[in-house]
Amino acid sequence: MWGVLVNKRRAAAVALFFFLPLLGLGLVSVWNPDRLYSPGENRALAQKPPFSRNELFSGRWTGDFDEYYTDQFPARERLMTLSARAGRWLYIALRDGSAVIGGDFDLDAGLGGGGTVAESGDNFFLILGDRIMHMPESDPANAKMYAAFLGRVQDALPDSRVISMVVPNSFPLCAPQAYMTDARDQRRAITALYDSLDSRIVTVDAYAALAAHADEYLYFRTDHHWTARGAYRAYTAFCNAAGFEPDGLETWEGGQYNGFVGFFYRQVQQHPQAAAAAAKPATVGFFLPPAAHTPTASGDGSKNPGR
């Protein structure tokens, strides 16, 4: 009898230890004001979805609320910072001076170049000097889905041209060949995808256009975006495939902004190997096509026009 009572008390203590923090976080969540924007992640945060029976029974409301609660979790930025600081010590040093780093990255092994690979599930980052690159692997299932979708679009628009331009990221054009594997051969993956498309679909060889100018600054060193010059090179490939003459870059007015450090750096900034990227911020060049335009921008995540 005494043993049963002790076990019940122990179970009650464990339950209190587990549920009280959850209850406390729930109460804090009720009174904690929702935030619109996360400076650390440089994105707008999900807001509380309006409730309706239709949304609930369709399953959309629960998914939207889960995203909202994840984004508005109490002390989320602070917890992410603590996690990042702990993660900086999780790495394996390799003989060539590079390191394999594990972490919880939001995406999607140095063999002689002094590089660094950061890993999270299927996500890898290669840190090579002052450049940070994502190392994606091709997914045949996604390629098949994409090909089927374009086929349906072409069927729905029989009198229109459907044009497909699949673009490589910076990795195959900026990383040493020693880092490439079959699964990361983007040229081969794009070719295989194009070969699987409906013959009526026009394809654009952006890879060749970018590779022909690989000595130019086509991709930001610390971000997943291409530069304006990289976009222009792909634009010329699109024009050639679509059958019209591209504008010459020399006819466009241009300029640049300094001090840009991108999304990839924010993912791995807690690791000492990323320090070189922060020490050499990128420039953001831009070109103004000879056309009338009225741009607006918002810097607070509200989607309201700013300047």
Side-chain angles (χ1 to χ4, degrees):
M1 181 66 181
W2 176 253
V4 173
L5 182 60
V6 170
N7 287 338
K8 286 184 177 180
R9 289 179 175 174
R10 183 178 300 164
V14 171
L16 285 173
F17 181 79
F18 179 76
F19 286 111
L20 281 179
L22 293 179
L23 178 61
L25 286 173
L27 292 174
V28 171
S29 299
V30 171
W31 300 107
N32 202 40
D34 291 345
R35 295 173 300 134
L36 294 175
Y37 183 76
S38 168
E41 298 172 85
N42 192 29
R43 68 176 181 90
L45 298 176
Q47 301 301 300
K48 184 181 294 184
F51 179 81
S52 73
R53 292 180 59 187
N54 290 338
E55 292 291 301
L56 176 63
F57 288 118
S58 70
R60 290 189 294 267
W61 187 85
T62 53
D64 291 344
F65 189 86
D66 180 67
E67 181 183 358
Y68 156 73
Y69 190 76
T70 299
D71 275 7
Q72 302 294 342
F73 193 81
R76 182 173 183 269
E77 297 271 354
R78 190 172 301 174
L79 291 172
M80 291 175 64
T81 300
L82 291 175
S83 175
R85 288 177 179 174
R88 69 176 297 174
W89 303 109
L90 303 177
Y91 69 92
I92 301 173
L94 302 179
R95 286 180 298 177
D96 65 353
S98 63
V100 175
I101 302 173
D104 184 14
F105 303 114
D106 287 338
L107 290 172
D108 258 54
L111 299 177
T116 299
V117 177
E119 174 188 6
S120 177
D122 294 330
N123 286 321
F124 294 79
F125 283 103
L126 172 64
I127 304 176
L128 193 63
D130 59 6
R131 182 177 287 277
I132 304 172
M133 293 166 278
H134 181 231
M135 302 169 63
E137 292 190 359
S138 58
D139 187 341
N142 285 341
K144 184 177 180 179
M145 186 185 308
Y146 177 78
F149 172 77
L150 286 192
R152 292 195 297 271
V153 172
Q154 185 66 83
D155 289 339
L157 303 169
D159 298 326
S160 300
R161 285 192 303 171
V162 176
I163 303 176
S164 172
M165 183 170 72
V166 181
V167 180
N169 73 352
S170 64
F171 176 69
L173 300 179
C174 300
Q177 189 61 38
Y179 291 92
M180 305 301 167
T181 64
D182 289 343
R184 295 196 170 94
D185 188 342
Q186 294 185 40
R187 182 191 291 273
R188 187 175 70 173
I190 293 172
T191 299
L193 170 59
Y194 280 175
D195 289 343
S196 71
L197 295 179
D198 187 302
S199 60
R200 296 171 293 172
I201 296 172
V202 179
T203 57
V204 180
D205 192 358
Y207 193 110
L210 291 163
H213 297 273
D215 58 331
E216 299 177 359
Y217 190 41
L218 303 179
Y219 295 88
F220 292 112
R221 291 193 303 273
T222 60
D223 198 77
H224 53 301
H225 292 99
W226 54 17
T227 64
R229 186 172 293 276
Y232 175 79
R233 296 304 178 194
Y235 154 78
T236 61
F238 178 88
C239 292
N240 293 333
F244 58 88
E245 189 71 21
D247 287 336
L249 198 59
E250 67 278 359
T251 66
W252 295 0
E253 180 184 352
Q256 71 178 37
Y257 299 100
N258 299 319
F260 174 71
V261 179
F263 175 74
F264 285 171
Y265 173 74
R266 293 197 298 274
Q267 292 291 295
V268 298
Q269 61 184 314
Q270 71 273 17
H271 299 290
Q273 294 85 356
K280 190 178 179 182
T283 58
V284 180
F286 63 88
F287 300 102
L288 301 176
H293 59 281
T294 305
T296 60
S298 173
D300 60 4
S302 66
K303 299 183 181 179
N304 296 319
R307 62 182 185 279

